[in-house]
Amino acid sequence: MELRGKLFSASSCDPIDKVRVVLFSSPKKAISKTFSDSEGYWFLEERRKYHHIEFSKPGYVTKKIRGSNLSIIRLLENKLFLYQSKVWCRAGDYITAYVNSSTDFQARLIKKGLEEKQILDFGYQKRFLQSVPDKFFTETGLNWKENFKYKIPHDLQSGLYTLEIKNEKKEKFSAPLVIYKDPKRNNKKILVIMNTTTWLTYNIWGGRSRYRTFEIENKSKVLSKILPDYQGSNKLLKRETILNIEKIFTFFSLLIPRKIKEKIKEKFFGNQNKEDRANKNISWETKPISLKRPIACCNLEQENVLDDYTSHLAENEWRLIAWLEREKIKFDVIADVQLEKKNLLKKYKVVVIAGHSEYWSKKMFYNLKKYHEWNKSWIINLSGNIFYGLVEYTKKFQLQFIGKPLLDLIPSKDNFMNIRNNLEDYSKCSPYRVIQKKHQFFKNIQFRNNNRLGVKCLNKETPRNSKFYLPERSKLKNGLTGEGASGWETDNLANKQDKRFLLIAKSTLTSGSDMFFKEGTKKYGHIFSANSITYIGSLLVDKGISTLTKNVIYTALKKN
């Protein structure tokens, strides 16, 4: 009897070499052993019946398996990992924490802002090692055992929080949590939308995000090496080219009897239900991803808000919150998915869209549009690459991607912000060049160097070989270039002939972002749009950008 398969890590789905594979004939009697090779493959030839197989390597949680479906084995790293039952919640909700740690760990709830503030201290929790399923699980998520549960205080201020855990190895991991508190009546606070949907699309933990996958590539290589060699045909499968799995079986169907082929399919992919069969032709880029995984892309472990950073996700929105606190501007926050509820925006007259607000559902988009038109309310857009991706939330705690961009799937008349996504200067940064110097928003700003604005930024030029460079930008040759408030991913005016939209500043790059203002009427509210991801990175360090943003917000609050 031949036993063979491939070993993958849990967090990144990388192949694991030098794993000790031991075959047991009884609970304690080992009868054979081997080690995985440099690509994670292992092989044992054993004619006797066996009780279980044990997979172990320093740095990983040891796993014991009984059964014959051994083609894909996932080992959980012996590291500190955490996910929670919710990414967003209301004050008063209960949250469950799921932690993997080889040592006792300390847990606390922290409010992120200009300074970190500890809200709840859960003390030391007992060590606990979790497990992961032996398959590609980004679609279905994890089913870890509960470590502890806690309640969000009813009087807690709305904001961005993290559950931070530290263990005796000095490892640290943070899980973001957006907390919203219902206002009792209409108020003069601004409402900041946190881009939780976009955070989740970039989360690679488990082996797949919206932008990268290690599941299909590795599954193809698994097939190329562990399928039995029928009439020498396996030689064709040993190419490193990523092969389409369905095409592989179409080829094999010419050589293998149907019953044998079905057994191979069942062994390596399991029994497919109707839903699996219906989804077999769906590209990995549009397959759902589960929220039940550690979110490893938000980078909220940093403590100093004035440190340089390269993240376009929660780390960016944290800087906006810090700036609002510094300027003593009152605010609440919500997760973007909460926009799917129609009446949530009624009690606010000013909404701020922050950072990288890329992924939206149609419900979210049209509820924002209705709010802007019916309530005659302000929208202040401090985001770039806005409205780019279309998603849906499923009942299975998943995020489902729709293939085409949102703005391509709605009538052009519904593009109420007149936005066109621009990727011509992707990853590049620059200051703005002010066009309308006398506009009210530029009051008390002194311009130098050809009317440039937003020269300083916490988002610095970052070469590709830097340890701070984010892997989702793997296609860039030169890394992140330039510095300034206009950059990374930007938007332009879709219809430049629409006289309602006044272009007040523009990036100094060839393309770059258009900064514009739309005056409100009896039919709709006002819109200010910066159209840049790096705009927020300038708020704390560039006096001109800070003054401009204060002028916009104060004008919005005064007019309402």
Side-chain angles (χ1 to χ4, degrees):
M1 178 174 58
E2 292 182 349
L3 302 173
R4 59 177 75 204
K6 186 171 182 179
L7 289 145
F8 297 95
S9 64
S11 66
S12 58
C13 207
D14 288 330
I16 313 174
D17 66 349
K18 299 179 181 178
V19 175
R20 187 169 181 261
V21 183
V22 182
L23 191 69
F24 287 80
S25 61
S26 65
K28 295 184 179 181
K29 185 177 180 180
I31 56 175
S32 183
K33 71 176 180 179
T34 187
F35 289 88
S36 60
D37 65 15
S38 60
E39 295 181 346
Y41 299 108
W42 60 274
F43 169 80
L44 281 172
E45 186 169 1
E46 181 58 53
R47 298 185 181 277
R48 294 169 289 180
K49 291 184 178 181
Y50 66 93
H51 182 268
H52 72 273
I53 302 178
E54 182 178 280
F55 301 89
S56 62
K57 181 181 178 178
Y60 294 85
V61 179
T62 298
K63 176 173 279 190
K64 297 179 181 180
I65 294 179
R66 300 183 68 175
S68 58
N69 192 358
L70 303 166
S71 57
I72 296 171
I73 304 297
R74 305 291 295 270
L75 296 186
L76 178 60
E77 294 90 332
N78 201 350
K79 294 181 179 179
L80 192 63
F81 293 123
L82 157 72
Y83 72 93
Q84 299 193 92
S85 56
K86 297 180 180 179
V87 182
W88 56 88
C89 70
R90 294 175 182 268
D93 284 356
Y94 285 92
I95 308 294
T96 303
Y98 307 92
V99 181
N100 180 78
S101 180
S102 60
T103 65
D104 292 350
F105 60 92
Q106 186 180 13
R108 57 181 186 151
L109 184 69
I110 294 174
K111 185 178 184 297
K112 303 293 285 189
L114 192 60
E115 295 181 354
E116 285 193 350
K117 181 181 179 182
Q118 179 176 297
I119 304 300
L120 298 172
D121 187 355
F122 305 108
Y124 278 91
Q125 305 288 324
K126 293 292 184 181
R127 64 184 291 274
F128 194 90
L129 294 176
Q130 304 279 3
S131 63
V132 294
D134 291 310
K135 61 179 181 178
F136 300 125
F137 54 75
T138 53
E139 183 171 344
T140 55
L142 299 171
N143 190 26
W144 283 2
K145 295 181 180 180
E146 174 186 326
N147 290 87
F148 62 94
K149 182 180 289 187
Y150 63 98
K151 184 179 180 180
I152 304 297
H154 284 283
D155 59 349
L156 198 60
Q157 180 183 349
S158 175
L160 174 62
Y161 294 78
T162 64
L163 178 62
E164 180 190 87
I165 55 175
K166 294 180 180 179
N167 65 11
E168 296 173 359
K169 295 180 180 180
K170 298 184 178 180
E171 295 175 311
K172 182 162 68 170
F173 196 95
S174 294
L177 184 64
V178 176
I179 299 178
Y180 172 68
K181 184 178 180 181
D182 288 308
K184 294 181 180 179
R185 55 184 178 276
N186 293 351
N187 60 81
K188 291 189 177 181
K189 290 182 179 180
I190 66 172
L191 183 66
V192 179
I193 299 175
M194 310 296 286
N195 308 309
T196 51
T197 304
T198 303
W199 304 349
L200 296 169
T201 62
Y202 282 88
N203 183 24
I204 192 70
W205 204 101
R208 179 166 61 86
S209 70
R210 170 64 178 80
Y211 293 90
R212 294 183 297 153
T213 183
F214 297 98
E215 292 181 342
I216 290 179
E217 295 181 9
N218 287 342
K219 183 180 283 190
S220 300
K221 292 177 183 179
V222 168
L223 278 174
S224 71
K225 200 157 184 176
I226 68 178
L227 279 176
D229 187 358
Y230 288 102
Q231 302 180 20
S233 57
N234 195 40
K235 293 178 182 179
L236 296 175
L237 299 176
K238 291 187 178 180
R239 296 173 296 174
E240 287 300 308
T241 305
I242 304 304
L243 301 174
N244 182 286
I245 295 171
E246 292 298 320
K247 289 181 179 179
I248 291 175
F249 280 110
T250 300
F251 169 75
F252 267 94
S253 65
L254 301 175
L255 304 174
I256 306 172
R258 183 179 62 83
K259 290 184 179 181
I260 296 178
K261 184 181 69 174
E262 291 301 322
K263 286 183 178 181
I264 293 172
K265 277 189 175 182
E266 183 178 344
K267 179 176 180 180
F268 292 106
F269 302 106
N271 292 315
Q272 291 185 331
N273 55 33
K274 291 182 180 180
E275 185 177 352
D276 292 332
R277 288 194 294 271
N279 292 334
K280 67 180 180 180
N281 293 320
I282 295 178
S283 166
W284 66 266
E285 294 166 300
T286 55
K287 283 186 176 181
I289 56 172
S290 174
L291 280 61
K292 296 190 296 183
R293 298 176 293 148
I295 302 176
C297 57
C298 283
N299 302 313
L300 290 174
E301 288 79 15
Q302 272 191 342
E303 296 179 1
N304 187 355
V305 75
L306 292 174
D307 284 345
D308 297 340
Y309 66 100
T310 59
S311 175
H312 52 113
L313 303 174
E315 195 175 9
N316 204 21
E317 286 125 293
W318 171 29
R319 267 66 182 191
L320 171 61
I321 287 173
W323 178 83
L324 290 170
E325 289 182 354
R326 190 186 74 180
E327 302 302 326
K328 296 179 171 55
I329 298 172
K330 295 181 179 180
F331 65 94
D332 287 332
V333 304
I334 60 168
D336 52 10
V337 66
Q338 292 179 271
L339 290 175
E340 293 203 339
K341 295 186 177 181
K342 295 181 180 179
N343 299 323
L344 191 63
L345 300 175
K346 282 187 175 181
K347 295 181 179 179
Y348 298 91
K349 288 297 183 181
V350 182
V351 164
V352 176
I353 305 171
H356 192 185
S357 191
E358 182 176 1
Y359 286 89
W360 290 65
S361 68
K362 281 190 175 181
K363 281 184 180 180
M364 290 158 56
F365 176 83
Y366 279 106
N367 281 341
L368 181 67
K369 181 176 182 293
K370 289 176 183 177
Y371 156 83
H372 172 65
E373 294 171 351
W374 293 0
N375 286 31
K376 314 298 183 297
S377 303
W378 273 72
I379 293 178
I380 300 175
N381 175 32
L382 308 183
S383 167
N385 194 224
I386 190 175
F387 303 144
Y388 181 77
L390 179 60
V391 298
E392 292 177 355
Y393 281 87
T394 74
K395 295 180 180 180
K396 296 180 180 180
F397 210 54
Q398 295 170 317
L399 194 61
Q400 172 71 61
F401 301 106
I402 312 301
K404 294 183 179 180
L406 171 61
L407 294 177
D408 290 349
L409 296 173
I410 62 172
S412 57
K413 64 180 179 63
D414 289 346
N415 186 359
F416 68 101
M417 287 183 61
N418 197 13
I419 289 288
R420 177 180 69 84
N421 302 129
N422 167 38
L423 294 177
E424 292 180 31
D425 288 320
Y426 176 73
S427 80
K428 299 177 182 178
C429 293
S430 76
Y432 289 94
R433 176 176 57 83
V434 176
I435 297 171
Q436 303 287 340
K437 285 180 60 177
K438 294 184 179 180
H439 195 278
Q440 59 177 326
F441 293 156
F442 297 124
K443 183 180 179 180
N444 299 325
I445 299 177
Q446 295 182 350
F447 298 106
R448 299 175 183 175
N449 300 324
N450 298 320
N451 298 330
R452 292 193 172 193
L453 175 71
V455 175
K456 297 179 180 179
C457 190
L458 292 175
N459 308 133
K460 305 295 186 182
E461 185 164 308
T462 309
R464 187 173 174 177
N465 60 358
S466 168
K467 66 179 182 178
F468 298 108
Y469 188 76
L470 298 179
E472 59 256 29
R473 300 190 179 105
S474 58
K475 295 181 180 180
L476 298 177
K477 292 182 179 180
N478 300 319
L480 303 172
T481 59
E483 182 180 340
S486 170
W488 285 358
E489 294 178 54
T490 59
D491 299 314
N492 299 134
L493 283 166
N495 180 8
K496 296 183 184 296
Q497 306 305 316
D498 191 335
K499 301 301 182 183
R500 298 174 300 169
F501 293 83
L502 177 65
L503 185 67
I504 60 176
K506 183 168 180 58
S507 167
T508 58
L509 294 174
T510 306
S511 181
S513 56
D514 291 341
M515 182 187 292
F516 62 78
F517 175 63
K518 177 185 177 183
E519 188 79 33
T521 68
K522 293 182 179 180
K523 294 183 178 181
Y524 49 76
H526 302 69
I527 295 176
F528 169 83
S529 195
N531 296 314
S532 166
I533 289 179
T534 60
Y535 185 93
I536 289 176
S538 291
L539 280 173
L540 289 166
V541 293
D542 190 278
K543 186 176 180 180
I545 290 293
S546 179
T547 302
L548 164 63
T549 312
K550 281 189 291 184
N551 289 342
V552 173
I553 293 175
Y554 291 159
T555 301
L557 292 173
K558 184 178 179 180
K559 286 192 175 184
N560 284 305

